[in-house]
Structures are given as C-alpha cells and as structure tokens.
C-alpha cells in the first residue's frame, strides 16, 4: 500500500511511519519544515518527505499523485495551554475536512483519523465505543466534531473512514510534560513529586503496541468490503489505579523520590477503564 501520514514526526506518527516502512509499504510523510524531529525519520528509499502545514493540505495533490490510505496524526494545540483554545481547534476541524477531501482526490480508499480518549470526558464505568461522549475540553470537543463530520463527509465522497480513540500512550519521544515522562524524569533524579490523589483507574499502552493496533485496524478496514466508517478504541487490557503505575515506576527506578499524593486536586477527575 501507499500511505500518506500527516504528523509523521509526532509521537505516535513517527512510530507508525517506522512500522509502515518495516512492513514494506511506501510512505509520504507530511511534516512541517520546522519540525525538530525530522532527523528521527528513517532513512528509507520508500519514504518521501512532503513539507506542508495543516493550513496547506489543499495543495498536497500537487506533491502526492496517488495513495491508498491517508492517516491523519497532525493536530495543533495539543499542549495543556492549547487544549482550551477553541479557535485553534476549529481550524483543526476545518483542516481535517480538507484532508478528507484531499484523500479522496488522490485516490485513497481509506481515511484514518487519530481521535482521543478525551472525546468521552468523565465516565466512571468501563469505556466502550458505544459509551456516550461528553467531552469537557475544547480538544475533546473538536476531536468528536471531526468524527461526526468525518462520518458524513466520507459517506458523501464514498471513502472509508476509520476513527481511532487513542488512550494514554507512553514511550520514547513522548512530550516531556505528560504525567508518565514527568514522573520518570523526576524519579530518575530522586526529586519529590507533587501529585493528584491518583486514586482513579487509568490505562497506559506502549507506543509500539499502539501503532500495531492501528496497523491491524487499517488492514481490516481497507480489505473489508462492507466496512464504511467506524470508531475503535486503541487501548490496553491492563487497567490499574494511577498509584499502582507510579509506585511500579518508582520500584523499577529504585528511586527515593517523596510522593506527595493529593498535593493538588484536578477540576475533572478522569477515569480510564
């Protein structure tokens, strides 16, 4: 297959690009020219780097003549500060619609969108694909809006649409401000940590396992004649309390960090089960 992968230097996008190449596919990696992670992309004859920001997706057919699958990992405003910016996320919605139209124009049979656990909001039970979505962040609301408009647009254009709600992912190249990376960094230095109560359930999945799930779902959707559009959760079977994860990290690192549980209480106590 020929893949178009936007956000190819992002945390999950970079790992998926590597896997697609390892599996023998050709990849157009769409990246910002200013990306600090360009050097992390594999050196591979099957890889073509295409420079474009999300606002420039309408011009991609000038650089990509044909592809089979369009995988959209690109998204602006993913930092804590950016997730509350409604203006940024409205642009994300508009640019993703453009990406779906572009995918159809260059011959793709499948468009894949990287959604988020944030679409569910706060839910205390076991989260399934049929669980009602009640996002409270602008980020989560926008991801849900992309799913809803993506379903409609894909039916209009007669292109398959796969919406992936990705749960908490960890691994190399993750953002330094995430809970997992912050805990590892401070524990490695035996520094104290101020934490929430960490009593809620959580679900972590290693980035390599995330992209393996995504790859298998793409194969399924691409080759299944009756597939049109659907949502899938990308998560681990291993759900624990956050304290369990944190104490395990401390044990593995032989850290003497003081853990101050309850030092702050978040406005929304999200549970991922």
């Amino acid at each position: 297959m020929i893949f178009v992968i936007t956000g190819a230097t992002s945390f999950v996008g970079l790992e998926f690009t590597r896997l697609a190449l390892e599996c023998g596919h050709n990849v157009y990696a769409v990246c910002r020219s200013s990306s600090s992670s360009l050097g992390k992309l594999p050196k591979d004859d099957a890889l073509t780097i295409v420079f474009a920001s999300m606002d420039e997706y309408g011009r991609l057919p000038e650089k990509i003549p044909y592809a089979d699958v369009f995988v959209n990992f690109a998204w602006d405003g993913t930092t804590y500060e950016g997730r509350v910016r409604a203006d940024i996320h409205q642009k994300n919605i508009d640019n993703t619609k453009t990406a779906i139209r572009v995918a159809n124009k260059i011959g793709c049979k499948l468009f894949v969108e990287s959604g988020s656990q944030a679409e569910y909001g706060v839910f205390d039970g076991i989260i399934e694909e049929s669980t009602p979505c009640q996002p409270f962040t602008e980020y989560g609301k926008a991801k849900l809006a992309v799913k809803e408009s993506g379903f409609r647009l894909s039916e209009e254009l007669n292109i398959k649409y796969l919406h992936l709600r990705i749960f908490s992912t960890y691994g190399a190249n993750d953002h330094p401000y995430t809970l997992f990376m912050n805990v590892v960094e401070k524990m490695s230095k035996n520094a104290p940590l101020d934490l929430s109560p960490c009593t809620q359930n959580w679900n972590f999945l290693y980035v390599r396992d995330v992209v393996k799930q995504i790859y298998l779902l793409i194969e399924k959707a691409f080759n299944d004649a009756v597939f049109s559009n659907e949502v899938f959760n990308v998560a681990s079977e291993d759900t624990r309390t956050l304290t369990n994860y944190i104490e395990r990290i401390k044990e593995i690192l032989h850290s003497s960090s003081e853990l101050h549980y309850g030092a702050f209480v978040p406005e929304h106590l999200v549970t991922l089960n």
Side-chain angles (χ1 to χ4, degrees):
M1 287 188 289
I2 300 175
F3 284 88
V4 174
I5 303 174
T6 66
T9 59
S10 65
F11 176 34
V12 177
L14 180 61
E15 197 66 36
F16 184 82
T17 299
R18 289 170 175 162
L19 179 60
L21 291 168
E22 289 168 14
C23 292
H25 302 291
N26 291 295
V27 172
Y28 287 98
V30 181
C31 317
R32 294 179 179 86
S33 58
S34 59
S35 172
S36 60
S37 297
L38 286 172
K40 296 177 182 178
L41 285 166
K43 307 300 181 186
D44 195 304
D45 292 339
L47 176 68
T48 301
I49 298 175
V50 176
F51 292 119
S53 66
M54 292 187 73
D55 291 335
E56 298 170 320
Y57 283 177
R59 299 184 62 183
L60 286 179
E62 300 172 13
K63 304 176 182 181
I64 303 173
Y66 173 83
D68 297 299
V69 180
F70 193 116
V71 188
N72 188 38
F73 289 114
W75 196 268
D76 289 329
T78 58
T79 62
Y80 289 128
E81 296 81 7
R83 289 185 179 225
V84 300
R85 291 276 304 276
D87 58 329
I88 292 176
H89 297 299
Q90 183 56 56
K91 285 186 178 180
N92 284 322
I93 295 168
D94 295 339
N95 288 332
T96 303
K97 289 179 184 178
T98 299
I100 296 172
R101 294 187 180 97
V102 166
N104 179 64
K105 188 173 183 178
I106 63 176
C108 292
K109 298 178 180 66
L110 174 66
F111 184 89
V112 184
E113 176 64 27
S114 55
S116 171
Q117 67 196 31
E119 293 173 60
Y120 291 112
V122 178
F123 186 79
D124 290 333
I126 294 176
I127 297 174
E128 300 176 340
E129 285 83 354
S130 59
T131 298
C133 290
Q134 298 177 315
F136 59 85
T137 64
E138 296 301 327
Y139 171 77
K141 292 174 184 176
K143 288 287 189 181
L144 180 58
V146 162
K147 175 259 175 185
E148 293 171 346
S149 59
F151 271 32
R152 291 192 298 269
L153 189 53
S154 63
E155 289 177 355
E156 175 188 323
L157 297 173
N158 194 28
I159 183 174
K160 297 178 178 180
Y161 177 92
L162 176 60
H163 191 84
L164 306 170
R165 289 187 177 138
I166 302 172
F167 281 62
S168 287
T169 305
Y170 72 94
N173 302 309
D174 194 1
H175 298 295
Y177 54 76
T178 61
L179 173 66
F180 189 93
M181 297 298 280
N182 187 44
V183 165
V184 169
E185 180 193 11
K186 290 189 175 179
M187 284 190 179
S188 297
K189 301 174 182 177
N190 297 314
L193 281 94
D194 288 339
L195 300 160
S196 74
C198 296
T199 52
Q200 71 269 41
N201 284 324
W202 208 258
N203 189 289
F204 279 113
L205 186 62
Y206 181 55
V207 64
R208 188 66 175 185
D209 296 319
V210 167
V211 299
K212 285 179 181 177
Q213 284 192 32
I214 293 172
Y215 182 81
L216 291 171
L217 285 167
I218 287 173
E219 280 194 327
K220 165 72 175 173
F222 186 82
N223 294 310
D224 187 344
V226 299
F227 184 96
S228 58
N229 49 49
E230 199 163 345
V231 174
F232 283 92
N233 291 335
V234 177
S236 169
E237 294 180 334
D238 184 8
T239 294
R240 316 180 194 177
T241 61
L242 266 178
T243 50
N244 186 296
Y245 284 113
I246 291 168
E247 297 291 346
R248 180 68 179 128
I249 294 169
K250 183 176 181 180
E251 178 184 354
I252 290 170
L253 294 177
H254 304 289
S255 175
S256 60
S257 291
E258 294 181 4
L259 306 181
H260 303 146
Y261 291 113
F264 65 91
V265 179
E267 180 182 357
H268 299 280
L269 198 64
V270 177
T271 289
L272 298 181
N273 191 358

